[in-house]
Amino acid sequence: MKNQYQNPLFSSTKLFNARLHLANLISYFIFFVFGLTFGIIISFYLKDMSLNLQVTQFSFSASTSSTPPPLSLSLSLPPPPPPPPTTKTPNNTARIGLKQYLQLPEDLMHDMNDKELLWRASLTPKIHEYPFNRVPKIAFMFLTRGPVLLAPLWHKFFKGHEGLYSIYVHSDPSFNQSEPANSVFRGRRIPSKEVEWGNVNMIEAERRLLANALLDFSNQRFVLLSEACIPLFNFSTIYSYLMNSTQNFVEAYDLPGPVGQGRYNRHMGPTITIQDWRKGSQWFEMDRDLALEVISDEKYFSVFQKYCKGSCYADEHYLPTFVSMRFSEMNSNRTLTWVDWSKGGPHPSKFIRTDVTVELLKKLRSESNCEYNGNSTNVCYLFARKFTPHALDRLLRFAPRIMQFNR
Ligand SMILES: *[C@@H]1O[C@H](CO)[C@@H](O)[C@H](O)[C@H]1NC(C)=O
Ligand SMILES: *[C@@H]1O[C@H](CO)[C@@H](O)[C@H](O)[C@H]1NC(C)=O
Ligand SMILES: *[C@@H]1O[C@H](CO)[C@@H](O)[C@H](O)[C@H]1NC(C)=O
Ligand SMILES: *[C@@H]1O[C@H](CO)[C@@H](O)[C@H](O)[C@H]1NC(C)=O
Ligand SMILES: *[C@@H]1O[C@H](CO)[C@@H](O)[C@H](O)[C@H]1NC(C)=O
Ligand SMILES: *[C@@H]1O[C@H](CO)[C@@H](O)[C@H](O)[C@H]1NC(C)=O
């Protein structure tokens, strides 16, 4: 194009100037027409957009829609303001990670009612592999009336094994003494309700204990104990026994006669039939999977709530029946808590001071024979009851030596 103006044919500079002028005018005109068309298109586009925005209930003012902003304005929008100057650099340690999400409140006392607690405790990971090093713990759950009477013996038992156990105590709500400052039981009391022994609300208390213990994801095995229970082995032995166990320890047997099948109520059918009915000790030991099933059960528990009252003794039948009906293949059907029924009557023998001897403790540790993970063993019981506070001083004298506490 430029060559045209330098063509030697246009000798007159005047003519050349006029032509140049015309060419400029034309190019201005073309530029103007382009600009106008562009402007019209843009204004239509903006009108259309503002209409759409109004239709979709966005809070755009009417002025924006009637007078589209000049193009120059939208082109010369100020750059986004720089982020406000930060006085401190980002602190990585203050960021929220998985640890914070899993953090439990320090205090075991909470205001959740049972319905809320059971629901919260039933939340469970679907991915079974933990994305961190999870050290499994045993939850020792004490169901007591008042204080844990044999606490000094348990102190010796737990000493040196911090991080491998957690303690939960469900005592009568009227019991308000606090544990000494250095006690492992201090601050381990969970919100409780009054428990009538043998009644269905005893199972509620057991479920409450399980649910509170399930909130801690590192609890893997759950053992229910009374204030009259003692350990029969040292912590390491009990820990290995439970962590290696492929089975749960919920005692369950079928017993004809008045104190077994005789307690069955036919209104429990067809959910629970007389063939399903089982009896057993309420002092159980179970793994996390079964604990989750127990606190989530509504079907069988509601039948017990309705039809197992008074001399039905729900605490001796609910778990044996429920576990036998639903999870019997994982159950050893035996209890880990030794008790002496040999003297007969409705209550087992109590061991007072003079009953506690080296021979007795040795006998309880290894006298019988039973099955463990499909093999025969003479370690059938890890705990024993019922020991009175009067037996404490002799227990403290013999137990650490026989049970090899911390050696
Ligand atoms: C980061 O936060 C932690 C705890 O929140 C604090 O101890 C630490 O001093 C902070 N570090 C910096 C550099 O701000
Ligand atoms: C404990 O309860 C008793 C009544 O049962 C009451 O007299 C006492 O003041 C309570 N003590 C504390 C520390 O709350
Ligand atoms: C399971 O048993 C094996 C062999 O007896 C032992 O080495 C291991 O430490 C046990 N596991 C636990 C968690 O104690
Ligand atoms: C426990 O009892 C059930 C029957 O209720 C049975 O199927 C199961 O095999 C028993 N488990 C063991 C380990 O004996
Ligand atoms: C249990 O018995 C099986 C074979 O039945 C054997 O392989 C296993 O080592 C035994 N376990 C123990 C702890 O003795
Ligand atoms: C626990 O007792 C066993 C024997 O039952 C013994 O071999 C072991 O050394 C004891 N462990 C501790 C930590 O004392």
Side-chain angles (χ1 to χ4, degrees):
M1 279 294 196
K2 221 178 166 193
N3 291 348
Q4 198 184 3
Y5 303 119
Q6 291 163 352
N7 198 315
L9 277 176
F10 301 102
S11 51
S12 162
T13 52
K14 218 177 174 182
L15 186 67
F16 175 77
N17 277 345
R19 285 224 166 199
L20 189 66
H21 195 66
L22 189 67
N24 275 349
L25 271 180
I26 289 169
S27 60
Y28 282 142
F29 181 73
I30 290 170
F31 190 71
F32 171 76
V33 168
F34 264 110
L36 189 70
T37 316
F38 188 58
I40 289 169
I41 289 170
I42 285 288
S43 78
F44 268 108
Y45 172 73
L46 285 178
K47 244 189 192 140
D48 208 35
M49 191 172 75
S50 63
L51 203 72
N52 280 341
L53 287 177
Q54 277 167 357
V55 167
T56 52
Q57 301 286 309
F58 275 101
S59 57
F60 262 64
S61 67
S63 64
T64 336
S65 62
S66 58
T67 54
L71 198 59
S72 62
L73 185 75
S74 57
L75 286 175
S76 63
L77 269 176
T86 43
T87 46
K88 44 185 181 182
T89 50
N91 188 341
N92 279 328
T93 55
R95 296 225 181 126
I96 294 180
L98 181 61
K99 201 176 162 201
Q100 279 78 10
Y101 273 98
L102 295 175
Q103 197 101 54
L104 293 170
E106 282 282 303
D107 203 339
L108 285 187
M109 282 293 172
H110 54 71
D111 283 332
M112 285 185 275
N113 61 35
D114 279 3
K115 198 173 177 186
E116 293 167 333
L117 170 67
L118 294 176
W119 178 83
R120 178 64 185 82
S122 75
L123 305 186
T124 189
K126 198 167 174 68
I127 296 178
H128 292 295
E129 197 182 320
Y130 289 84
F132 50 87
N133 179 27
R134 172 184 182 262
V135 179
K137 293 194 287 188
I138 302 175
F140 290 85
M141 310 183 298
F142 290 85
L143 187 51
T144 71
R145 291 179 177 85
V148 180
L149 296 171
L150 304 171
L153 180 68
W154 286 105
H155 275 139
K156 285 192 187 296
F157 170 80
F158 286 122
K159 195 159 175 266
H161 302 285
E162 291 72 22
L164 298 178
Y165 65 86
S166 13
I167 293 172
Y168 302 85
V169 182
H170 186 297
S171 52
D172 194 281
S174 67
F175 173 68
N176 64 4
Q177 293 166 34
S178 63
E179 302 287 343
N182 57 357
S183 169
V184 292
F185 297 100
R186 188 179 175 88
R188 302 311 298 175
R189 221 177 286 160
I190 64 159
S192 60
K193 289 183 187 162
E194 208 180 318
V195 171
E196 198 184 317
W197 246 242
N199 194 289
V200 81
N201 67 14
M202 187 125 188
I203 304 168
E204 283 168 5
E206 293 172 11
R207 280 156 58 105
R208 210 172 287 132
L209 273 165
L210 278 174
N212 276 283
L214 278 167
L215 295 179
D216 184 343
F217 60 86
S218 36
N219 286 329
Q220 180 58 29
R221 305 287 311 202
F222 302 75
V223 52
L224 183 71
L225 300 158
S226 80
E227 66 243 81
C229 285
I230 63 161
L232 290 176
F233 291 88
N234 65 20
F235 187 90
S236 314
T237 302
I238 289 180
Y239 187 84
S240 296
Y241 195 97
L242 296 183
M243 289 305 169
N244 270 324
S245 174
T246 57
Q247 289 181 317
N248 298 298
F249 299 92
V250 177
E251 190 185 31
Y253 52 90
D254 187 11
L255 182 70
V259 296
Q261 289 178 2
R263 292 176 181 170
Y264 174 77
N265 179 338
R266 59 186 176 80
H267 290 114
M268 294 176 170
T271 311
I272 302 167
T273 67
I274 184 83
Q275 285 79 33
D276 299 324
W277 190 249
R278 292 289 181 282
K279 183 174 173 159
S281 165
Q282 72 174 110
W283 310 105
F284 62 76
E285 196 289 326
M286 61 178 64
D287 66 10
R288 195 173 176 90
D289 289 345
L290 183 56
L292 277 161
E293 298 290 350
V294 170
I295 60 131
S296 312
D297 168 44
E298 284 172 348
K299 185 177 171 184
Y300 302 93
F301 186 56
S302 63
V303 169
F304 269 80
Q305 276 177 313
K306 263 190 218 140
Y307 302 115
C308 188
K309 290 178 174 161
S311 54
C312 173
Y313 299 104
D315 58 326
E316 292 179 10
H317 297 279
Y318 168 68
L319 273 183
T321 302
F322 171 68
V323 173
S324 295
M325 286 180 76
R326 297 285 316 281
F327 308 101
S328 72
E329 69 283 5
M330 299 300 289
N331 193 16
S332 66
N333 301 331
R334 67 183 177 93
T335 178
L336 289 179
T337 305
W338 182 90
V339 72
D340 179 15
W341 286 103
S342 66
K343 296 201 177 93
H347 298 290
S349 309
K350 274 186 181 169
F351 292 87
I352 58 166
R353 188 171 184 278
T354 48
D355 296 323
V356 178
T357 59
V358 170
E359 289 68 38
L360 174 78
L361 295 178
K362 281 187 174 165
K363 182 181 108 163
L364 302 189
R365 279 160 58 89
S366 62
E367 196 196 42
S368 31
N369 248 291
C370 51
E371 218 175 77
Y372 172 77
N373 290 352
N375 295 20
S376 167
T377 176
N378 64 354
V379 177
C380 298
Y381 302 105
L382 301 182
F383 310 97
R385 56 193 275 266
K386 304 172 76 167
F387 291 82
T388 67
H390 304 292
L392 185 61
D393 65 334
R394 281 170 75 108
L395 282 170
L396 286 175
R397 186 136 43 98
F398 302 139
R401 182 161 54 84
I402 292 170
M403 299 172 198
Q404 304 185 31
F405 287 175
N406 291 305
R407 286 207 308 182

